[in-house]
Amino acid sequence: MSEFQNRNRDTFDAEVASHRTKEKKGHPVVSLLLSAVIGLGAGLGGTWFTLNHYQGNTSSNSAGITTTTESSPSNVTSVSSNDDKTGLSVAGAAAKAAPSVVEIRTEITSTTYGLFGGTYTSEAAGSGVIISSDGYIITNNHVIENANTIKVKTYDGNEYTAELVGTDEKADIAVIKVDATDLTAATIADSSKIEAGDTAIVIGNPLGTLGGTVTDGIISSPSREIVISNQSMELIQTNAEINSGNSGGGLFDGNGNLIGIVNAKDSGTTSSGTTIEGIGFAIPINKAMDVADQLMKYGKVTNRPTLGINVQTLEQDTQRYKAGLYVTSVIKGGGAEAAGIQAYDRIVKADGEEITSYSDLSKILNKKSVGDTITLTIERNNKQMDVDVTLTGTLEEETGAAKTSATLG
């Protein structure tokens, strides 16, 4: 297969304008065009976000950063509920929350090819939130992905070099750690308790230069299903102002408690010329902390239900292949291998629901647990058959497999 890759750097949040993705300097985007057999790729990515109907990205592992696997810290502060809807003033809530938010700067080495190709170093910036007083910080995967170095600046102006503890591309969550004690950690709330209309406060590092910036608004929706990089995600929607650089920062409630990790925004204009304003998104902290806990314990997510296949989407009919979602490889030890799934099988349905892309399948997988069974209707040699697949926990990718497709789960 031929592969054409167009790489740009961007720092943070997804911006959509006129049904095109805007990229800013500092973060990688990879668009894959696979010829003949599989055609247009639409595998799961997490490096950068494109809302709704845009193709996914692929990425390689972070390079040059020491990765550590440690037990979860015991000094995480949390509250069991958000029953007090009165809350503090915005100033009071911001004063409580702001010391837990950090600025993040990364250095990334990239290689270009062609007549004027070479290696160059670029910088990017984002935000993070301290989740324990001994230096654990939660942020987005896309903020630190591929970074050679990660620098952290705390609210009091101190600067640290951070180590990568673990990162999860699909949840867009990463945990880093600095060698420090007595840091001010965020008080973590229960994001399942928030309601539309509740106070929302965003604190982060917009533009990579304005650390500690506070914006406020309301919770527009406590749970909005959004397709980002071909992955279906349940996110908190807010109208609090979000700009490039806020990614990884905190979404706080009216009491200054952490309810989400900012990861995306929608802005610009639609294809009809309608201006998009006040639409930002954050990963609910319940989900973010579940992932973070696993990253701190195991260095990866272990409880995500997984089919054990890599896939690509064919956007249109190509030669003898119909448009749809195709299996490109089967991972050893997974449920798909046990069920007899093969490369080039087209996934037509999952639990009776029509499947045309990975995002369709991810919506169904998001409702499953490890050990559950999913019924796939597959097409092989122009014949359809139903196959029951038992979902396993997270599997390693195949040795030597190119990262041009999505590992489902």
Side-chain angles (χ1 to χ4, degrees):
M1 299 182 185
S2 62
E3 176 177 322
F4 301 90
Q5 298 183 336
N6 176 27
R7 295 180 180 267
N8 292 313
R9 299 298 310 173
D10 203 311
T11 47
F12 320 100
D13 318 296
E15 298 188 356
V16 178
S18 302
H19 284 249
R20 297 180 61 188
T21 305
K22 293 183 178 180
E23 277 80 44
K24 308 182 192 69
K25 185 177 72 173
H27 199 79
V29 172
V30 182
S31 297
L32 301 179
L33 177 60
L34 304 180
S35 63
V37 177
I38 298 300
L40 295 177
L44 169 65
T47 307
W48 179 246
F49 293 102
T50 309
L51 297 175
N52 299 320
H53 305 297
Y54 298 86
Q55 286 203 184
N57 310 319
T58 60
S59 63
S60 57
N61 292 327
S62 298
I65 302 173
T66 302
T67 302
T68 60
T69 302
E70 306 183 31
S71 298
S72 296
S74 58
N75 49 349
V76 175
T77 303
S78 62
V79 292
S80 60
S81 68
N82 311 337
D83 292 334
D84 180 9
K85 295 296 184 178
T86 303
L88 305 172
S89 67
V90 171
K96 173 184 175 180
S100 68
V101 180
V102 303
E103 303 170 36
I104 296 176
R105 291 181 292 108
T106 63
E107 188 176 272
I108 302 156
T109 300
S110 303
T111 302
T112 59
Y113 301 94
L115 183 61
F116 300 103
T119 300
Y120 67 94
T121 299
S122 60
E123 293 185 345
S127 307
V129 183
I130 299 168
I131 55 174
S132 71
S133 59
D134 57 349
Y136 285 92
I137 297 167
I138 190 170
T139 185
N140 289 142
N141 169 73
H142 76 262
V143 169
I144 55 84
E145 190 169 31
N146 297 329
N148 298 320
T149 60
I150 305 172
K151 301 290 185 181
V152 168
K153 183 177 181 181
T154 54
Y155 183 76
D156 57 11
N158 290 323
E159 296 191 9
Y160 305 88
T161 297
E163 292 185 343
L164 178 65
V165 175
T167 187
D168 186 71
E169 183 179 12
K170 293 177 182 177
D172 193 30
I173 289 294
V175 175
I176 59 178
K177 189 178 187 303
V178 297
D179 186 10
T181 57
D182 298 324
L183 297 178
T184 301
T187 301
I188 298 170
D190 181 353
S191 55
S192 70
K193 302 292 186 180
I194 64 175
E195 298 177 344
D198 285 352
T199 298
I201 298 170
V202 169
I203 305 178
N205 182 28
L207 308 183
T209 59
L210 302 173
T213 294
V214 177
T215 58
D216 72 307
I218 62 171
I219 300 298
S220 303
S221 173
S223 181
R224 184 75 73 186
E225 186 174 16
I226 299 294
V227 176
I228 297 179
S229 293
N230 214 31
Q231 171 72 30
S232 177
M233 303 180 76
E234 294 286 341
L235 302 175
I236 301 168
Q237 181 184 337
T238 180
N239 69 343
E241 187 71 23
I242 292 172
N243 287 288
S244 177
N246 278 116
S247 280
L251 177 67
F252 298 89
D253 65 16
N255 290 300
N257 302 321
L258 184 64
I259 55 174
I261 300 300
V262 175
N263 74 322
K265 65 176 292 187
D266 201 350
S267 65
T269 57
T270 66
S271 58
S272 63
T274 301
T275 300
I276 302 170
E277 295 179 346
I279 302 179
F281 299 95
I283 302 165
I285 197 60
N286 290 12
K287 172 65 176 178
M289 284 302 298
D290 176 57
V291 173
D293 285 342
Q294 293 181 72
L295 294 178
M296 289 184 282
K297 289 179 180 177
Y298 312 114
K300 63 180 181 179
V301 174
T302 60
N303 68 352
R304 179 181 289 121
T306 305
L307 280 165
I309 57 178
N310 293 309
V311 296
Q312 286 288 346
T313 300
L314 182 64
E315 299 278 347
Q316 58 189 12
D317 293 351
T318 302
Q319 297 180 7
R320 63 190 180 91
Y321 293 94
K322 302 175 184 177
L325 185 67
Y326 284 83
V327 177
T328 58
S329 60
V330 179
I331 300 174
K332 281 186 173 294
E337 181 188 45
I341 301 292
Q342 299 177 12
Y344 301 107
D345 286 346
R346 182 169 72 95
I347 302 175
V348 180
K349 295 180 181 179
D351 284 348
E353 296 187 31
E354 185 177 355
I355 300 297
T356 61
S357 67
Y358 175 75
S359 61
D360 293 338
L361 187 55
S362 71
K363 292 176 185 177
I364 298 171
L365 288 172
N366 286 344
K367 301 173 184 177
K368 299 286 187 177
S369 301
V370 173
D372 287 352
T373 297
I374 186 172
T375 301
L376 298 182
T377 302
I378 62 170
E379 184 174 277
R380 181 187 302 162
N381 299 325
N382 295 317
K383 295 181 179 179
Q384 292 190 7
M385 67 185 81
D386 288 339
V387 180
D388 291 333
V389 181
T390 300
L391 300 174
T392 64
T394 305
L395 297 167
E396 296 295 333
E397 288 190 345
E398 290 181 309
T399 303
K403 286 194 144 186
T404 57
S405 56
T407 303
L408 295 191

